[in-house]
Amino acid sequence: MRIAVTGSIATDHLMTFPGRFAEQLLADRLDRVSLSFLADSLDVRRGGVAANIAFGLGVLGLHPLLVGAVGADFEPYRVWLKDHGVDTDAVHVSATRHTARFVCTTDREQNQIATFYAGAMTEAREIDLREVVTRHGRPDLVLVSPDDPEAMLRHTANCRTLGIPFASDPSQQLARLTRAEVRELIDGALRLFTNEYESALLCERAGLTEEQVLDRVGSWVTTHGETGVRIRAVDRAPLTVPAVEVAEVVDPTGVGDAFRAGFLAGTAWGVPERYAAQLGCAVAATVLDHTGTQEYRLSRDALLDRLRTAYGPASRTELSSYLRGMR
């Protein structure tokens, strides 16, 4: 199964603040916030939602097609992704803008304050999936993840025109989208991805109840942090999968992207959703052990042991044959 992943490609600038953000916020002054946090460390890492997900798919042995816009500074990053199984030939390179930047500060309780500079990502709206399909072949699934909002809407419309199944992951862009745009992005999606907070925000932005959202999508996959993931669909009982426990959270950045990579890999292989979600949770737990979104390494034996410990021998047995192609 070939998956095309559309969305942001960025460089992450990750900092840590040893205190608590909450201690610096004054309840009666939230309308005039002016704060500066002295960070203890800075890590510059490769990132971007689409690139993170594509990287995870590549490491798991798939060969995803990455679709997004970058600057001329992307070349070293391109080599990195290609070395990890990602097809970058459909990436648009801007002649004038730098690759997008994500700047994030994490406090000692793993709360985060972040800023995203779009840069070349604004040119993603110029990408036509019809041309991508002509040049690079027809994917079996397109994931529309956070990107330039016009690009997200264009990709979704093109998927409908081309008859290609798509998954919707609006997440960080929900705050920028109108009611009509949110509905446009989710209508007819094979899968909808959100975290717990985004699920409530999506309903509010779309002006829909959860039941009405479910009527518009094939299934709704919601991550709930340390408690795991819930998958819902019309006319069937919700499926709940607990998270994989980790001894210590090093950095939560990119954990949702890692889950999506594992889950999408499992569904691409045709395993039941329960096992796909378990794989997603296991990959996410691995990311939590590292600083940065693409600094982790997946060992087949270690991953299978993690699955067996968290979910029992059936999970290991179900997934072991599919993980032989891991890079």
Side-chain angles (χ1 to χ4, degrees), residues 243-264:
V244 174
E245 292 186 8
V246 296
E248 180 182 0
V249 175
V250 175
D251 178 16
T253 310
V255 65
D257 302 336
F259 170 81
R260 286 155 176 72
F263 181 84
L264 288 170

Side-chain angles (χ1 to χ4, degrees), residues 103-165:
V103 181
C104 181
T105 303
T106 304
D107 75 2
R108 72 179 186 218
E109 293 187 342
Q110 305 304 316
N111 297 305
Q112 295 182 314
I113 295 176
T115 300
F116 189 83
Y117 164 69
M121 192 182 80
T122 59
E123 297 183 21
R125 67 187 66 178
E126 300 173 14
I127 299 172
D128 189 334
L129 281 185
R130 292 170 297 184
E131 295 180 3
V132 171
V133 168
T134 299
R135 295 176 182 174
H136 306 284
R138 183 184 181 90
D140 300 290
L141 176 73
V142 173
L143 173 64
V144 181
S145 68
D147 201 346
D148 174 78
E150 288 188 31
M152 297 170 70
L153 292 164
R154 185 178 189 186
H155 297 335
T156 302
N158 281 341
C159 284
R160 294 192 184 99
T161 300
L162 295 167
I164 300 174

Side-chain angles (χ1 to χ4, degrees), residues 176-218:
R176 292 282 303 271
L177 299 167
T178 67
R179 174 171 294 186
E181 289 170 341
V182 175
R183 294 186 178 192
E184 178 71 12
L185 288 175
I186 67 174
D187 279 353
L190 180 65
R191 301 189 190 280
L192 170 63
F193 291 97
T194 61
N195 63 28
E196 185 177 10
Y197 179 80
E198 291 161 356
S199 65
L201 180 60
L202 183 142
C203 289
E204 187 275 329
R205 298 294 294 175
L208 299 171
T209 65
E210 291 190 353
E211 290 72 21
Q212 289 171 327
V213 172
L214 286 169
D215 284 337
R216 294 168 179 256
V217 302

Side-chain angles (χ1 to χ4, degrees), residues 216-244:
R216 294 168 179 256
V217 302
S219 65
W220 188 353
V221 183
T222 305
T223 54
H224 290 260
E226 63 185 14
T227 62
V229 59
R230 183 171 62 152
I231 303 173
R232 291 172 291 168
V234 173
D235 297 330
R236 77 181 195 201
L239 170 64
T240 301
V241 174
V244 174

Side-chain angles (χ1 to χ4, degrees), residues 5-62:
V5 184
T6 75
S8 62
I9 305 167
T11 301
D12 292 346
H13 295 247
L14 310 176
M15 290 168 278
T16 57
F17 172 61
R20 297 174 63 244
F21 294 146
E23 293 174 348
Q24 317 302 319
L25 297 171
L26 302 177
D28 59 345
R29 295 289 187 272
L30 294 180
D31 60 332
R32 295 180 179 274
V33 175
S34 178
L35 292 171
S36 176
F37 300 100
L38 181 61
D40 279 354
S41 64
L42 167 66
D43 287 297
V44 180
R45 307 286 183 178
R46 308 168 189 91
V49 172
N52 291 340
I53 296 172
F55 174 86
L57 288 166
V59 170
L60 286 166
L62 284 81

